[in-house]
Amino acid sequence: MGCLFCKIIAREIPSQIILEDEHTLAFRDVRPVAPTHALVIPKKHVVAISDTTDEDALMLGQLVSAARRVAKQENLTSGFRLVINDGPDAGQSVFHVHLHVLGGRALSWPPG
Ligand code: DGP
């Protein structure tokens, strides 16, 4: 099992866990780009959004629900952004689906 995020789920690599339920885990990004920068991941190993199918709709909904709970827990009352990078043009660097939760400052648009 070479996947970094699977190792975080298995507690083989330490992380600052914010929230966990049966299907998802949320932890702080090691290279934060905002005062709150969390990653929400499915416990099931899925490489990228482009690898998912309609069968994964429930899991994808669970990710967004968990992200909403992270934002509430982190008190991001003035707004937050959810980001999923897919593939090289988007700069995906870890190949286990993850949703970035960014907040705690005004976020510019469009992203770089
Ligand atoms: P992406 O570029 O969308 O694939 O984002 C991957 C993120 O994962 C990136 O913002 C940095 C974060 N990351 C990489 N390695 C680790 C790690 O070992 N621990 C934690 N907490 N985050 C990591």
Side-chain angles (χ1 to χ4, degrees), residues 10-108:
R11 296 346 192 232
E12 290 168 18
I13 291 176
S15 69
Q16 281 185 266
I17 292 171
I18 302 173
L19 180 149
E20 180 169 25
D21 65 23
E22 189 184 346
H23 303 288
T24 59
L25 185 73
F27 52 95
R28 297 198 191 282
D29 194 293
V30 81
R31 287 189 292 276
V33 298
T36 291
H37 187 173
L39 300 172
V40 184
I41 65 174
K43 289 190 172 173
K44 174 185 168 192
H45 180 76
V46 181
V47 168
I49 285 293
S50 52
D51 269 24
T52 61
T53 68
D54 291 348
E55 308 291 303
D56 293 307
L58 178 60
M59 178 273 284
L60 295 169
Q62 287 162 342
L63 278 188
V64 175
S65 285
R68 171 185 40 78
R69 281 180 272 132
V70 167
K72 188 174 171 69
Q73 195 172 301
E74 294 287 308
N75 216 20
L76 301 178
T77 51
S78 60
F80 58 91
R81 183 171 294 163
L82 306 182
V83 174
I84 300 178
N85 293 320
D86 186 290
D89 276 2
Q92 183 179 4
S93 62
V94 178
F95 293 90
H96 180 127
V97 164
H98 50 282
L99 199 158
H100 296 257
V101 183
L102 300 163
R105 66 169 171 83
L107 299 161
S108 59

